[in-house]
Amino acid sequence: QVHLVESGGGLVQPGGSLRLSCEASGFTFTLYTMGWYRQAPGKERELVGSITSDGGTNYKGSVKGRFSISRNNDNSTVSLQMNNLETEDTAVYFCAVRGVERNWWGHGTQVTVSS
């Protein structure tokens, strides 16, 4: 079955950087668009960005220029490089396989941006 394991979250000061990684298994990684989502306290889960099987990316407007998604099809990982972090970026970040009928989710990793 699909397994997605996120790592790399933590506490960082505003303006700092973090790199999140998602290790994927249980499906043909190369065929699927992968997404990063986040959910902040009191808010619904939202799409941060996605990357297609051939490496095309799109991002939520508020993270454009600060966040970058990449994938490594050789080891079935997708990463989210987060720079110039803001307090508003605080959330649990989830990796997802974007299937046609549904998404498959990881368990999330906490990112806290605070002084």
Side-chain angles (χ1 to χ4, degrees), residues 5 24 34-36 42 44 46 53-54 56 58 62-63 67 69 76 79 81 94-96 100 102 110 112-114:
V5 182
M34 303 294 296
W36 282 99
E44 295 184 351
E46 64 178 357
S53 60
D54 64 354
N58 65 76
S62 63
V63 309
F67 291 10
I69 296 173
S76 298
S79 298
Q81 178 67 46
F94 298 88
C95 178
V100 175
R102 60 161 292 180
Q110 177 71 49
T112 302
V113 185
S114 176

Side-chain angles (χ1 to χ4, degrees), residues 13-83:
Q13 294 184 342
S17 298
L18 283 174
R19 184 177 178 87
L20 307 183
S21 295
C22 173
E23 298 181 359
S25 62
F27 65 102
T28 305
F29 180 80
T30 56
L31 298 180
Y32 287 88
T33 293
M34 303 294 296
W36 282 99
Y37 292 73
R38 68 186 182 188
Q39 187 166 22
K43 297 183 178 180
E44 295 184 351
R45 190 172 298 184
E46 64 178 357
L47 177 67
V48 176
S50 62
I51 183 166
T52 64
S53 60
D54 64 354
T57 57
N58 65 76
Y59 301 93
K60 172 182 172 64
S62 63
V63 309
K64 289 180 180 178
R66 299 190 297 120
F67 291 10
S68 179
I69 296 173
S70 61
R71 68 190 294 158
N72 187 330
N73 289 335
D74 292 329
N75 60 16
S76 298
T77 61
V78 58
S79 298
L80 179 66
Q81 178 67 46
M82 304 185 293
N83 300 322

